[in-house]
Amino acid sequence: FSYNGFRQGICYWGVTEKMKNEDVELILPLKPEYVGVARLTASAIASRMGFDVENIEDIKVSISEVCNKLVTANKSPDINYSIVYKIFTDKLIIAFKCCDSSLKTHFTESDDNGIHGILIISALMDEVKLHDDGDYLLSMSKYIREIM
């Protein structure tokens, strides 16, 4: 990491050449007690990338929305899901994947609670994408904005 000085009293660390274009994958059981692990991981990564506190909170709330939806929709106690944190110089992409494709239906317009969660995530994140094919369920992006 490279230190970029203080801006508005915040110690700012940016993404360096060594860190950009890296993926961090977290594999968790679909149980509520592990949602905090996903939030803490996102917070640590976003903080090291240089996101401000407000944007880190937006990311954590969005992660909670997705994780809680997956946990409550899960019917099998033996299923795991993955969260892939994709680190770029200008953004963080967080992608959720699970081998249980039936969980995708919980993020569609046919599920009122699912669309409500998507609306919350869309308000907090810069991009949200629902995936129709493959193991990926949903991905969301947050861009780094310079602190003025």
Side-chain angles (χ1 to χ4, degrees), residues 39-50:
R39 287 172 47 92
L40 285 171
T41 303
S43 180
I45 291 170
S47 177
R48 289 191 171 246
M49 288 179 67

Side-chain angles (χ1 to χ4, degrees), residues 135-148:
D135 288 342
Y136 283 98
L137 305 171
L138 175 140
S139 61
M140 53 191 181
S141 304
K142 190 76 159 175
Y143 286 87
I144 297 175
R145 289 169 178 64
E146 283 292 320
I147 301 171
M148 300 295 172

Side-chain angles (χ1 to χ4, degrees), residues 78-130:
D78 300 328
I79 292 181
N80 292 334
Y81 68 110
S82 297
I83 304 172
V84 181
Y85 304 88
K86 297 175 178 277
I87 302 164
F88 295 92
T89 55
D90 63 336
K91 66 181 171 182
L92 173 63
I93 299 174
I94 303 165
F96 296 82
K97 63 181 181 176
C98 184
C99 62
D100 183 358
S101 60
S102 70
L103 293 174
K104 289 182 184 189
T105 62
H106 296 282
F107 293 100
T108 62
E109 292 179 13
S110 62
D111 182 354
D112 287 340
N113 289 331
I115 198 66
H116 182 259
I118 293 297
L119 291 173
I120 291 171
I121 296 165
S122 296
L124 298 173
M125 300 295 284
D126 296 321
E127 297 173 348
V128 179
K129 181 179 179 187
L130 298 174

Side-chain angles (χ1 to χ4, degrees), residues 26-45:
L26 188 62
I27 301 170
L28 298 169
L30 271 168
K31 296 180 180 175
E33 53 265 33
Y34 292 100
V35 173
V37 174
R39 287 172 47 92
L40 285 171
T41 303
S43 180
I45 291 170

